[in-house]
Amino acid sequence: QVQLVESGGGLVQPGGSLRLSCAASGRIFSIYTMGWYRQAPGKERELVAAITRGGSTNYADSARGRFAISRDNAQNTVYLQMNSLKPGDTAVYYCNAASVTGSSTAWGQGTQVTVSS
């Protein structure tokens, strides 16, 4: 089992920046891909960004150019640097970890990000 704990959420003004972190523990040897998802009220959870053990990244169109995902394998931690934040980015952000096949996944408890003036 993998346990994920997110931190770094909060209230930020439009155009501001925020950095989320996710620390993994447990069966960390099984983790291949880590990523960030978000879910706004009344909407489905969607992928924001993901990164593999080797450093390959994937971004949602809405995040590309503004957000950057990074991973510290030694510390078993993944980060999401969010810049130029917009009100539409307001959501609960969840950390995710998956095995190489994607058959096993783990989720964090979520951290609230609110972008408002």
Side-chain angles (χ1 to χ4, degrees):
Q1 297 79 25
V2 174
Q3 295 80 46
L4 304 173
V5 179
E6 305 104 328
S7 62
L11 175 65
V12 65
Q13 293 183 325
S17 298
L18 210 59
R19 191 191 192 196
L20 307 182
S21 63
C22 173
S25 61
R27 297 202 303 169
I28 56 178
F29 57 86
S30 66
I31 299 175
Y32 178 71
T33 303
M34 297 187 72
W36 290 94
Y37 290 71
R38 68 186 182 188
Q39 187 168 24
K43 298 183 179 179
E44 295 185 0
R45 190 172 300 184
E46 63 176 356
L47 173 69
V48 178
I51 185 169
T52 68
R53 184 178 296 160
S56 297
T57 59
N58 189 31
Y59 293 93
D61 289 341
S62 61
R64 189 174 293 107
R66 298 188 299 124
F67 295 180
I69 189 170
S70 60
R71 180 173 181 173
D72 186 341
N73 290 328
Q75 298 295 319
N76 303 120
T77 304
V78 66
Y79 305 92
L80 184 67
Q81 179 67 46
M82 303 185 293
N83 300 320
S84 302
L85 284 162
K86 306 173 181 179
D89 296 318
T90 297
V92 177
Y93 284 70
Y94 296 91
C95 182
N96 170 265
S99 63
V100 66
T101 64
S103 60
S104 298
T105 61
W107 293 93
Q109 82 287 350
T111 183
Q112 177 70 47
V113 172
T114 302
V115 184
S116 176
S117 60

